[in-house]
Amino acid sequence: MDIYSEYTPHTWQIKFHTDPNRHIALCGGKGCGKTKSSIEELLALAMEYAGTKWIIGRQTYQSLKDSTWADFYEAIPSNLIKSYNKSEMIIILINGSKFFGRALDNPKKFESMVISGFLLDEADEVKEVTYKTLKSRIRQQIV
């Protein structure tokens, strides 16, 4: 299946997409493309590895709903979406991979999840314990 994306990465984004490290943080000014490149990376991984599960997170539900999740949903070509539960913020792709939009205000709610990875938007708002909890939940190997 052909996947069409209008995304054309800048030089620094290409370095991000080819970085071999397991955990990567992007830092930069507002509007420079940190969220967009992160979204495109997770979408590519989810399509490459069928049946994987991913968290798209932001500290509060409202900020997640108003910005990150909206940007994420808009970035996915409609022909890749099998189902979308808007109220639960769950997107299932045609290959069975799933994205869960989640507020990060309570790390306990992630303790029983098994995921392949996560995106923390505006990570400076997120508590270290939340990051560590999410990191510990990466159990689906995609290497």
Side-chain angles (χ1 to χ4, degrees), residues 9 48 53 58 79 85 99 104-105 116-117 119 138:
E48 185 175 350
K53 296 177 186 174
R58 185 128 182 218
N79 65 326
N85 184 323
F99 291 98
L104 303 173
D105 52 352
S116 297
L119 181 156
I138 297 175

Side-chain angles (χ1 to χ4, degrees), residues 78-120:
S78 60
N79 65 326
L80 298 183
I81 298 175
K82 179 179 178 181
S83 66
Y84 176 40
N85 184 323
K86 188 175 183 177
S87 62
E88 295 289 323
M89 285 200 261
I90 299 172
I91 296 172
I92 302 175
L93 301 180
I94 57 172
N95 70 350
S97 289
K98 297 178 185 179
F99 291 98
F100 301 90
R102 295 294 181 258
L104 303 173
D105 52 352
N106 180 4
K108 288 241 178 242
K109 62 186 167 189
F110 302 110
E111 289 180 352
S112 64
M113 292 190 83
V114 174
I115 59 175
S116 297
F118 55 89
L119 181 156
L120 302 181

Side-chain angles (χ1 to χ4, degrees), residues 8-136:
T8 304
H10 299 291
T11 303
W12 73 264
Q13 291 168 317
I14 292 169
K15 289 180 184 178
F16 160 68
H17 292 301
T18 58
D19 191 309
N21 291 298
R22 186 176 172 126
H23 301 278
I24 304 167
L26 299 178
C27 302
K30 293 188 185 302
C32 72
K34 300 177 302 291
T35 301
K36 177 66 173 166
S37 54
S38 299
I39 288 169
E40 292 290 340
E41 184 70 17
L42 258 57
L43 181 57
L45 287 169
M47 286 305 298
E48 185 175 350
Y49 300 99
T52 51
K53 296 177 186 174
W54 307 85
I55 298 286
I56 308 297
R58 185 128 182 218
Q59 182 60 24
T60 67
Y61 172 80
Q62 197 63 51
S63 61
L64 174 68
K65 181 181 168 212
D66 292 345
S67 64
T68 310
W69 188 254
D71 292 343
F72 181 71
Y73 178 72
E74 288 175 17
I76 303 174
S78 60
N79 65 326
L80 298 183
I81 298 175
K82 179 179 178 181
S83 66
Y84 176 40
N85 184 323
K86 188 175 183 177
S87 62
E88 295 289 323
M89 285 200 261
I90 299 172
I91 296 172
I92 302 175
L93 301 180
I94 57 172
N95 70 350
S97 289
K98 297 178 185 179
F99 291 98
F100 301 90
R102 295 294 181 258
L104 303 173
D105 52 352
N106 180 4
K108 288 241 178 242
K109 62 186 167 189
F110 302 110
E111 289 180 352
S112 64
M113 292 190 83
V114 174
I115 59 175
S116 297
F118 55 89
L119 181 156
L120 302 181
D121 197 24
E122 301 296 339
D124 61 317
E125 301 171 351
V126 179
K127 294 178 183 162
E128 185 177 1
V129 66
T130 303
Y131 171 73
K132 287 181 176 180
T133 300
L134 286 170
K135 220 169 98 171
S136 75

